[in-house]
Amino acid sequence: MRNEELTELARQLRVDSVRAADAAGSGHPTSSMSAADLAAVLLAHHLRYDFAAPENPANDRLVFSKGHASPLLYSLYKAAGAIDDEELLTFRKRGSRLEGHPTPRLPWVDVATGSLGQGLPVGVGMALGGKYLDRLPYRVWVLSGDSEMAEGSVWEAVEHAAFEKLANLKLIIDVNRLGQRGPTRHQHDLDAYARRLRAFGWHTVEVDGHDVAAVDKALTEAVEVDERPTAVIAATRKGRGVAAVEDREGKHGKPLPDAEAAIEELGGPRFVTVRVQPPPAAGARRDRDLGPLELPRFETGTEEATRTAYGRALAALGSARGDVVALDAEVGDSTRTEYFGKEHPDRYLEFYIAEQQLVAGAVGLQTCGWVPYASTFAAFLTRAHDFVRMAAVSRAGINLVGSHAGVSIGEDGPSQMGLEDLAMLRSVHGSTVLYPCDANQTARLVAAMADLDGVRYLRTSRGETPVIYGPDEEFPIGGSKVLRGGVGDKATIVAAGVTVHEALRAADALAADGIPVRVVDLYSVKPVDVDTLNDAAGATGCVLTVEDHRPEGGIGDAVAEAFSDGRPAPRLARLAVRDMPLSATPEEQLHAAGIDAESIAAAVKLLVERIVAH
Amino acid sequence: MRNEELTELARQLRVDSVRAADAAGSGHPTSSMSAADLAAVLLAHHLRYDFAAPENPANDRLVFSKGHASPLLYSLYKAAGAIDDEELLTFRKRGSRLEGHPTPRLPWVDVATGSLGQGLPVGVGMALGGKYLDRLPYRVWVLSGDSEMAEGSVWEAVEHAAFEKLANLKLIIDVNRLGQRGPTRHQHDLDAYARRLRAFGWHTVEVDGHDVAAVDKALTEAVEVDERPTAVIAATRKGRGVAAVEDREGKHGKPLPDAEAAIEELGGPRFVTVRVQPPPAAGARRDRDLGPLELPRFETGTEEATRTAYGRALAALGSARGDVVALDAEVGDSTRTEYFGKEHPDRYLEFYIAEQQLVAGAVGLQTCGWVPYASTFAAFLTRAHDFVRMAAVSRAGINLVGSHAGVSIGEDGPSQMGLEDLAMLRSVHGSTVLYPCDANQTARLVAAMADLDGVRYLRTSRGETPVIYGPDEEFPIGGSKVLRGGVGDKATIVAAGVTVHEALRAADALAADGIPVRVVDLYSVKPVDVDTLNDAAGATGCVLTVEDHRPEGGIGDAVAEAFSDGRPAPRLARLAVRDMPLSATPEEQLHAAGIDAESIAAAVKLLVERIVAH
C-alpha cells in the first residue's frame, strides 16, 4: 500500500474502534486510536497470516498484550475480511465472540489478554516453539502498552528473549504516554524504554507512531534483525485524531463523548480492505508419536518420593511422545524435571528463577500444539497465579507440577512449603488437581494428565513414601481408592499424598483398638469422587479429612463440596495445617500440625464419640 | 577494623555457617560462604544498628533477600553479640528461632525471606517510608543472590527505586555464579547486571567480593551516593574457602561433606566480636492521632458502590489517623483509592502497574509502623499471591482491597473479574476476609480492619448497590447479619456482597409464594460466624450459599467449613460462577451465572423439596 492508503486504513481502524465502543456503550477506543497507525502498517505490509486457516502453524502470531485495545484488534479483523461490519458492532454484547478483552473464542486469537504484562512472556513461549522446537519461520508480534512495561513479568520475558536470542520476537510498544489514571512513569521518553531494553540485549527502534512511512521503515528493520529480539518503540497520542480526547487525561476506558462528531472529525467511515500476506509454506511437523509408553515401575513395599516418580515418568512420557516438553525454573534437580532434561535435552527449556515466564512459556507453547509440563516448588507456583488464572481464560491446556508440598518437607520452613497450592489450583476454572501418594500412582497420573483439557496440576512430595500400589493399578481422573474398609466401619478417613500413609497407620491402630475405619485415597482432588465419598459417608456416617495443606481450599473443602448437593450430609471434621510451621524434621512437622497417624487416630475417636473434633 | 581483622571476621562467619549447617544436617553453607566478606565489611563498618533495641526506628534495615543464606545471617548475629554460640547450633531444630529461612520470630528480622526476589521490593517499601514518610536517615541494605535477579519482581523494584530516587536503598548482589541446579544466566559477567541497573537509573559499583579492602571502598561509595539507589555488584565464589565445594556445581543447599576438614581449612573457629555502630538519634515520630474518625454516612434507600464507600472511608480514616497510607497500582480512579490521594497526597503512594511491588511496598511500610491499604482489581491481586503468602510468614499487618469483584462488573469480561480472590485470601494463614454489600457496612469494615493482625482483605464491587444498613450499625469481625428470618423459615440463604441483594429479592419472592426463608449477610467470610450459621441451620435444616466467585474456596467452602466440626450438618447447596463468563451486562452476567434472585429462588425451591440442587 502507498502511504496515503496506509493512512486511510489507519483512519478506518480508528473510526471502527470508535463505532464499536459507541455501539457497546463501553470499551477502550482511545487506547485503540493511539496504535491504529502501527496496526495498519503491520497488517498491510508485515504480518504473514492466513485468516482462512488460523490453524496453519506457519502463520505469524499476533498477541495484543494491551487487550483492552480490542476494538482495534476487531477493526483489524474487519479490514482483513475476517469479520463483517455487523459482527463488529456486536462488540461486548451478550453472545458475541467480540468480548471486552480478546479470548480464543475467536479463531485468530491464540491467548486471552487483558491482564497486562502477559503478552510478551506468552510471546516468548511461542517464539521458543518456533525457533527451537518447530523450527518454523513465523514471527511473533506483540503489541504492548507503555503502562504495562512496569510489570515485572515483562522484564522476565525481556531477559529470557534476549538470552535465547529470539530474533523471531517483535515487540511493538505503543507509548501513548497516558495510563488509566494519568501519565506513565516515562511519558514520551522513548529512550527510557530503549535504554532498558538495549541493556538486556534487545535491538530497539524508536519511531513516531503516527508517521506511517516511518513505522513501515521501523517494522522493516524489525523484520530484518535476525540475531536478537527487536522492540519498536513508538511515540503515539492516546485518542489520536479526535481533539476532544487526544492526549488528554480522564479519557481511558470509555466511549467517546460524541461518537458521531468524532467519526466526522476522523473523515467518516471507510471501506478499505487488506489482502494480508499469507505465510510461507510450512514443512511437515516432526513426528510426535515416538513409541509405546513404558512408564517406570516401582516395587510395592519399597519407598520412593513422588517427585522422583514424576521425573522418571515424565522422561518416559517424553520417550513415547515427541510433543511433550518440560519447563524448569532453576529447580529441576529438586523437582526431578531434570530427568527429562537428561534424556530429551532438545525439549527441555530452562527459564531460570522466573515463575511467571515459566507458566507463560507453557501457555505460549501449547498454542503451538506442544504438551508442556512446567515445574517448580508448589509454593512458588503462587508467583504465577495470575498467569494460571489467565491460562484458564485462554482455554490453555498446560500441566503444572508443584513439588515440596506441605509441612512434610521438614527443616526448610514455611517459605518453601506449598500450603496454599490446592486452594489456588482448585479455584481455577476447569482445572484438574491431582495429588498422588505413591510412585506408581504418580507415574500413571503424569501420563493421564497429558491429554486433559484445561489447567492440570500435580502435587508432589519431597520425602520418600511407601509404594502401596502395583505398577498396573489404574487411577482414573475423578476417581479415588478405598484402601481400608468393610462392613461395620465406624468412620471414614479421607487423605491424599503423605497423609494417606499416616491414615493407614491410624486405621491399623484404630482397628487394634476395635474401631474399624475406612480409608479413602483422594488422589483426584478435582474432580472429586462424589460417589465413593457418598458411599463411605452412607456406610460410616462421619468423615474425617486430613491434609498437608491449609484448612481452606484444599481436601477438606473438596470433600465438603462433594456433600454440598442438597442431600443429607455426614458429620464432617478436618485436620489440616492450622499454625505457622517452624523448622523441624518431617516427622515433627506432621505431628506439630496434627496430621500424623497419632493425631488422626485421636480425631477419629472424638468423631466416633460424636464429640466436636476441633 | 583493619583489613586483616575483617578477613578474620569473614572467615569466622564461614566457619560458623559451616558449623551451623553441619549441626542441623541441612541448610545452605556454600551460599553463605560466598557472601561472608561482604557481610563482614557491612557489619563492621557500615551497618548502623542497635542490636539491643531492634525497635529503634532509626536503625538501618538489613534484608537477606537470599534467605537461604540464613547461616551467614545468624553468624553475623553471633559476631554482633546478639546470640551466643549455643543458640547458633540450634539452627533448623524444632523450637529454635533460627529457622531454615529467616522470619521475624527473631527481633532483628523485619520480614521473612526465602521466596527469592522479594527482598528488594520489600526494601523499596522500607526506603519509601524512610525517605518520604518518616524522614529518617536510616539506610536499607538488601543482600541479594544473583539467581534471583531473574525474578520480575526485582525489576519492578529496580524501576520504582530509581523513579523515586531512593538513595537510602543499597543493594548488594552476591554474584557467586551458581544457582541451585547450575550456572546462572550471566555467571560472572558483573557488567550484565550493572548495565541493566544503570539503564534503569541506578548507581552501580562492581567489586571483587572477596577483597575486603575493595568491598569496604565499594560500600563507602554506596553510602556516599545520595541521589539514586546504589547496587554493589560483587563477584564471589560459592563455597569460598573450601576447595571441595568452592565454585563447584552440585553443592547447593547441603552441609559440607566433611565439616571438620572444612573448618580446619578455614583456619578453625575464631572468636571475633564486632561493636556495631549505633544509628544516629531519631527525632520524635510524627503525630499519628489527628482527630476523631468521621466515617462517611450513607442514607438507606440510596445506592452507592462499595468501592466508592471504601474510597471515602479510607480518606476519612486518613484524616483521623496519621499512620494510614494508601498504595495504588495505577487504578486508583477505579478502586477509588484516589479519594485518599486527593485529601492526603503526602501519604499516597503510586506504584504504577506492578502488583508485586504494591504488596511488597505495603509489607515494607508496615515494618516501620505504618498501616498500609494497598488496592487494585481483585483479579490482579493474584499477581502478588506469593507476596501475600510471604506476608503471612512475616507476620505482617497489611490491608489489601480488591475491587471489581465477580461477574457483576459486566462487559469487561473474565480477565478483569475477581473470581478466585476469596479462595486465595482465605487460604492465607491468619488472614481476615471481608466482603461488604453496602456502603455503610463498607465504611465500618474499612475502619475495623486497620488494627487487626495479619493480612486483611476487603472485597469491593464495581456497580452501585442499595444502602440497606444505617450508618450507625455495627459489624464485628467474625459476625454476620440476619436480614430476613422468623419462626417457620424453610431454608437459609447465605450471601455476601452483590448476592445479598439478589438473596433479599429472592426471599421476598419466595415469601410471596408461601416459602419463608432466612437470609444471612456473611460480610465476614473469614473468620466466619459459626454460631449464627448453626442457629440458622438448626432452625431451617438446609442452607444455600450464593456467591459471585468460583465454587471453590469462597463462601460455599467457608460455610461448609463452619459445619465441618463433627456435629450433624444441615443439607447444603451452593450457587456460584461455574462457567467462563463472556461479555454481557451486569444483570445478564448474574443471571447467566445462576446467582441472581430468580436462580436463588429456584434453587431454594428445589432444596426445600429435598431435590438435589445441582
Side-chain angles (χ1 to χ4, degrees):
Chain A
M1 277 189 179
R2 287 174 297 117
N3 290 339
E4 297 70 32
E5 290 171 302
L6 289 171
T7 298
E8 278 299 288
L9 173 59
R11 286 192 184 137
Q12 171 175 310
L13 297 175
R14 287 193 178 91
V15 167
D16 282 347
S17 296
V18 170
R19 291 173 64 232
D22 189 58
S26 67
H28 299 75
T30 57
S31 303
S32 299
M33 294 157 82
S34 59
D37 300 294
L38 298 165
V41 177
L42 178 63
L43 185 78
H45 285 186
H46 301 283
L47 190 73
R48 300 179 302 181
Y49 197 94
D50 185 351
F51 276 90
E55 72 289 352
N56 185 338
N59 279 333
D60 279 0
R61 270 59 167 178
L62 175 59
V63 181
F64 258 50
S65 188
K66 49 178 294 183
H68 54 289
S70 55
L72 174 63
L73 182 65
Y74 305 150
S75 300
L76 275 183
Y77 291 162
K78 185 189 138 186
I83 65 169
D84 61 20
D85 195 64
E86 191 181 355
E87 182 166 12
L88 178 70
L89 298 182
T90 66
F91 177 52
R92 284 177 167 246
K93 293 205 174 74
R94 188 176 160 219
S96 172
R97 54 183 185 165
L98 306 187
E99 297 189 51
H101 294 75
T103 77
R105 288 181 74 212
L106 285 163
W108 317 287
V109 174
D110 295 304
V111 289
T113 49
S115 180
L116 292 169
Q118 300 211 4
L120 191 66
V122 170
V124 165
M126 296 170 170
L128 285 167
K131 175 167 180 176
Y132 292 107
L133 299 171
D134 284 311
R135 295 165 200 267
L136 285 169
Y138 64 75
R139 299 178 191 125
V140 181
W141 298 93
V142 176
L143 178 69
S144 165
D146 46 353
S147 281
E148 64 183 299
M149 298 299 289
E151 285 283 11
S153 55
V154 170
W155 297 96
E156 292 183 11
V158 165
E159 176 75 288
H160 201 60
F163 184 73
E164 296 288 359
K165 299 190 167 44
L166 298 178
N168 53 352
L169 183 63
K170 317 291 184 187
L171 173 66
I172 303 172
I173 312 178
D174 176 26
V175 185
N176 67 18
R177 193 186 73 83
L178 292 173
Q180 169 176 323
R181 51 131 280 293
T184 61
R185 275 199 191 96
H186 303 300
Q187 303 211 33
H188 269 141
D189 180 5
L190 300 191
D191 191 51
Y193 299 102
R195 271 197 313 274
R196 287 159 173 75
L197 287 159
R198 280 198 308 270
F200 281 82
W202 283 53
H203 182 75
T204 61
V205 191
E206 297 175 39
V207 68
D208 173 351
H210 298 313
D211 177 341
V212 291
V215 169
D216 200 18
K217 192 156 162 277
L219 295 183
T220 300
E221 182 177 333
V223 164
E224 286 168 355
V225 172
D226 62 359
E227 289 183 333
R228 51 184 63 194
T230 297
V232 174
I233 305 162
T236 64
R237 292 163 72 91
K238 201 160 176 173
R240 170 71 169 184
V242 175
V245 295
E246 183 172 327
D247 200 36
R248 287 181 192 236
E249 293 189 33
K251 303 298 179 189
H252 178 94
K254 51 185 84 160
L256 263 51
D258 185 341
E260 210 175 317
I263 292 164
E264 199 181 308
E265 187 176 347
L266 290 164
R270 290 167 180 76
F271 307 94
V272 184
T273 57
V274 179
R275 277 178 71 101
V276 179
Q277 197 180 342
R285 287 211 163 185
R286 288 192 286 171
D287 190 12
R288 292 188 177 181
D289 195 359
L290 304 178
L293 175 59
E294 291 181 16
L295 286 174
R297 299 169 71 85
F298 302 90
E299 202 172 328
T300 54
T302 62
E303 297 214 327
E304 191 56 89
T306 55
R307 60 173 170 153
T308 302
Y310 153 68
R312 290 188 52 194
L314 188 64
L317 192 64
S319 298
R321 296 175 57 149
D323 58 354
V324 169
V325 292
L327 288 68
D328 176 38
E330 230 277 81
V331 287
D333 53 337
S334 286
T335 61
R336 307 302 198 218
T337 313
E338 70 174 13
Y339 296 176
F340 182 100
K342 283 175 182 157
E343 293 192 30
H344 316 289
D346 55 324
R347 283 181 277 138
Y348 188 69
L349 302 174
E350 180 57 68
F351 286 90
Y352 298 89
I353 307 184
E355 294 81 7
Q356 297 183 93
Q357 177 58 73
L358 174 82
V359 173
V363 171
L365 285 165
Q366 62 86 37
T367 68
C368 313
W370 294 93
V371 179
Y373 283 73
S375 314
T376 184
F377 282 33
F380 305 140
L381 278 174
T382 56
R383 202 66 160 251
H385 189 166
D386 196 31
F387 284 79
V388 178
R389 181 182 77 85
M390 286 299 294
V393 183
S394 290
R395 287 96 168 133
I398 58 171
N399 301 287
L400 301 176
V401 182
S403 70
H404 293 65
V407 298
S408 57
I409 67 165
E411 291 83 353
D412 267 336
S415 65
Q416 319 294 303
M417 295 172 174
L419 287 169
E420 302 84 5
D421 54 318
L422 295 176
M424 168 181 152
L425 272 303
R426 274 183 71 240
S427 75
V428 172
H429 178 64
S431 66
T432 301
V433 178
L434 306 171
Y435 183 17
C437 71
D438 96 338
N440 285 317
Q441 190 180 48
T442 304
R444 289 287 179 143
L445 294 176
V446 168
M449 68 197 289
D451 295 315
L452 302 176
D453 288 331
V455 174
R456 293 86 77 164
Y457 176 56
L458 183 85
R459 184 184 218 223
T460 68
S461 301
R462 177 173 181 272
E464 294 187 343
T465 46
V467 178
I468 59 172
Y469 295 110
D472 298 313
E473 183 104 16
E474 293 188 9
F475 302 95
I477 305 297
S480 66
K481 291 284 174 186
V482 178
L483 289 172
R484 292 278 192 285
V487 180
D489 287 342
K490 298 245 189 301
T492 300
I493 307 172
V494 179
V498 293
T499 60
V500 167
H501 308 285
E502 301 297 324
L504 291 174
R505 290 204 293 128
D508 294 344
L510 288 163
D513 287 351
I515 308 174
V517 297
R518 193 164 294 196
V519 175
V520 177
D521 170 11
L522 199 76
Y523 63 83
S524 180
V525 178
K526 181 184 174 189
V528 75
D529 186 349
V530 175
D531 290 344
T532 297
L533 291 173
N534 265 315
D535 287 351
T540 66
C542 59
V543 177
L544 177 73
T545 59
V546 52
E547 61 193 303
D548 195 356
H549 185 273
R550 292 288 173 206
E552 300 88 4
I555 293 166
D557 277 356
V559 170
E561 190 187 357
F563 294 117
S564 296
D565 58 0
R567 282 184 282 192
R571 287 181 297 123
L572 293 174
R574 62 178 73 179
L575 300 178
V577 181
R578 293 181 187 276
D579 292 324
M580 185 57 71
L582 311 172
S583 285
T585 66
E587 297 70 30
E588 289 169 342
Q589 297 279 14
L590 291 175
H591 187 68
I595 56 172
D596 64 344
E598 193 181 326
S599 307
I600 295 169
V604 166
K605 285 180 181 171
L606 284 169
L607 192 58
V608 169
E609 290 163 17
R610 296 185 148 256
I611 295 171
V612 175
H614 76 264
Chain B
M1 276 188 180
R2 287 174 298 115
N3 289 340
E4 297 70 33
E5 290 172 300
L6 289 171
T7 299
E8 277 299 289
L9 173 60
R11 286 193 184 136
Q12 170 175 311
L13 297 175
R14 288 191 177 91
V15 167
D16 282 346
S17 296
V18 170
R19 292 173 64 232
D22 189 58
S26 68
H28 299 75
T30 57
S31 304
S32 298
M33 294 157 83
S34 59
D37 300 294
L38 298 165
V41 177
L42 177 64
L43 185 77
H45 285 187
H46 301 283
L47 190 73
R48 300 180 301 183
Y49 197 94
D50 184 351
F51 277 90
E55 72 289 352
N56 185 338
N59 278 333
D60 279 0
R61 272 59 168 178
L62 174 59
V63 181
F64 259 49
S65 188
K66 50 178 294 182
H68 54 289
S70 54
L72 175 61
L73 182 65
Y74 305 150
S75 300
L76 275 183
Y77 292 161
K78 185 190 138 186
I83 65 170
D84 60 21
D85 196 64
E86 191 182 356
E87 181 165 13
L88 179 71
L89 299 181
T90 65
F91 177 50
R92 284 177 167 247
K93 293 205 174 72
R94 188 175 162 221
S96 171
R97 53 183 187 165
L98 306 187
E99 297 189 51
H101 294 75
T103 76
R105 287 181 76 213
L106 286 163
W108 317 286
V109 174
D110 295 303
V111 289
T113 50
S115 181
L116 293 169
Q118 299 210 6
L120 190 65
V122 169
V124 165
M126 296 170 171
L128 285 166
K131 175 167 180 174
Y132 293 107
L133 298 171
D134 283 312
R135 296 166 200 266
L136 285 169
Y138 63 77
R139 299 177 191 125
V140 182
W141 298 93
V142 176
L143 178 69
S144 165
D146 46 353
S147 282
E148 64 183 299
M149 296 300 288
E151 286 283 12
S153 56
V154 170
W155 297 96
E156 292 183 11
V158 166
E159 176 76 286
H160 201 60
F163 184 73
E164 296 288 0
K165 299 191 166 43
L166 298 178
N168 53 350
L169 182 64
K170 317 292 184 187
L171 172 66
I172 302 172
I173 311 179
D174 175 26
V175 185
N176 67 19
R177 191 185 75 81
L178 292 173
Q180 170 176 324
R181 51 133 280 293
T184 60
R185 276 201 190 96
H186 303 301
Q187 302 211 33
H188 270 142
D189 180 4
L190 300 191
D191 191 50
Y193 299 101
R195 271 197 313 274
R196 287 159 172 73
L197 287 158
R198 280 198 307 270
F200 281 82
W202 282 55
H203 182 75
T204 63
V205 191
E206 298 175 38
V207 69
D208 173 351
H210 298 314
D211 177 341
V212 291
V215 169
D216 200 18
K217 192 157 163 277
L219 294 183
T220 301
E221 181 176 335
V223 163
E224 285 168 357
V225 172
D226 61 359
E227 290 185 331
R228 50 185 62 194
T230 297
V232 174
I233 305 163
T236 64
R237 292 163 72 91
K238 202 162 175 171
R240 169 72 170 184
V242 175
V245 296
E246 183 171 327
D247 199 37
R248 289 182 190 233
E249 294 190 33
K251 304 298 179 189
H252 179 94
K254 52 185 82 160
L256 263 51
D258 185 340
E260 209 173 320
I263 292 164
E264 199 180 307
E265 188 177 347
L266 289 165
R270 289 169 181 74
F271 308 93
V272 184
T273 55
V274 179
R275 276 178 72 101
V276 179
Q277 196 180 343
R285 288 211 162 185
R286 286 193 286 171
D287 188 12
R288 294 190 175 177
D289 196 359
L290 304 179
L293 174 60
E294 292 182 13
L295 286 173
R297 298 169 71 86
F298 303 90
E299 204 173 325
T300 54
T302 62
E303 298 213 328
E304 191 56 88
T306 54
R307 60 172 168 154
T308 302
Y310 154 66
R312 290 188 53 194
L314 188 64
L317 192 64
S319 299
R321 295 176 57 148
D323 58 353
V324 169
V325 292
L327 288 68
D328 176 39
E330 228 278 81
V331 287
D333 52 337
S334 286
T335 61
R336 308 303 197 216
T337 312
E338 70 174 12
Y339 296 175
F340 183 99
K342 282 174 184 158
E343 293 192 30
H344 315 290
D346 55 323
R347 283 182 276 141
Y348 188 69
L349 302 174
E350 179 58 68
F351 286 90
Y352 298 89
I353 307 184
E355 293 81 7
Q356 297 184 92
Q357 178 59 74
L358 174 82
V359 173
V363 171
L365 285 165
Q366 62 86 39
T367 68
C368 312
W370 294 93
V371 179
Y373 283 73
S375 314
T376 182
F377 283 33
F380 305 140
L381 278 175
T382 57
R383 201 66 158 253
H385 190 165
D386 196 30
F387 284 79
V388 178
R389 181 182 76 84
M390 287 298 295
V393 183
S394 289
R395 286 98 169 132
I398 59 172
N399 302 286
L400 302 175
V401 182
S403 69
H404 293 66
V407 300
S408 57
I409 66 165
E411 292 83 353
D412 267 336
S415 65
Q416 318 295 303
M417 294 170 174
L419 287 168
E420 302 83 6
D421 54 318
L422 295 177
M424 168 181 150
L425 272 304
R426 273 183 71 240
S427 74
V428 172
H429 178 64
S431 65
T432 301
V433 178
L434 307 170
Y435 183 17
C437 72
D438 96 338
N440 284 318
Q441 191 180 47
T442 304
R444 289 288 181 145
L445 293 175
V446 168
M449 69 198 289
D451 294 315
L452 301 175
D453 287 331
V455 174
R456 292 87 76 163
Y457 177 55
L458 183 85
R459 184 185 217 222
T460 68
S461 302
R462 177 174 181 271
E464 292 186 345
T465 45
V467 178
I468 61 173
Y469 295 111
D472 297 314
E473 184 104 16
E474 292 187 11
F475 302 95
I477 304 298
S480 66
K481 291 285 175 185
V482 178
L483 289 172
R484 293 278 192 283
V487 179
D489 287 342
K490 299 244 188 300
T492 301
I493 307 172
V494 178
V498 293
T499 61
V500 167
H501 308 285
E502 302 297 324
L504 290 174
R505 289 205 293 129
D508 293 344
L510 287 163
D513 286 351
I515 307 173
V517 297
R518 192 163 297 197
V519 176
V520 177
D521 170 10
L522 199 75
Y523 63 84
S524 178
V525 177
K526 181 185 175 188
V528 75
D529 186 350
V530 175
D531 290 343
T532 298
L533 291 173
N534 266 316
D535 287 351
T540 67
C542 60
V543 176
L544 176 74
T545 59
V546 52
E547 60 193 304
D548 195 356
H549 185 272
R550 293 287 174 208
E552 299 87 5
I555 293 166
D557 277 355
V559 170
E561 190 188 356
F563 294 117
S564 296
D565 58 0
R567 282 184 282 191
R571 288 181 298 122
L572 292 174
R574 62 178 73 178
L575 300 179
V577 181
R578 294 182 186 276
D579 292 323
M580 185 56 71
L582 312 172
S583 285
T585 66
E587 296 71 29
E588 288 169 342
Q589 298 280 14
L590 291 175
H591 187 68
I595 55 173
D596 64 344
E598 193 181 326
S599 307
I600 295 169
V604 167
K605 284 180 180 171
L606 284 169
L607 191 59
V608 169
E609 291 163 16
R610 298 186 148 256
I611 296 169
V612 175
H614 74 263

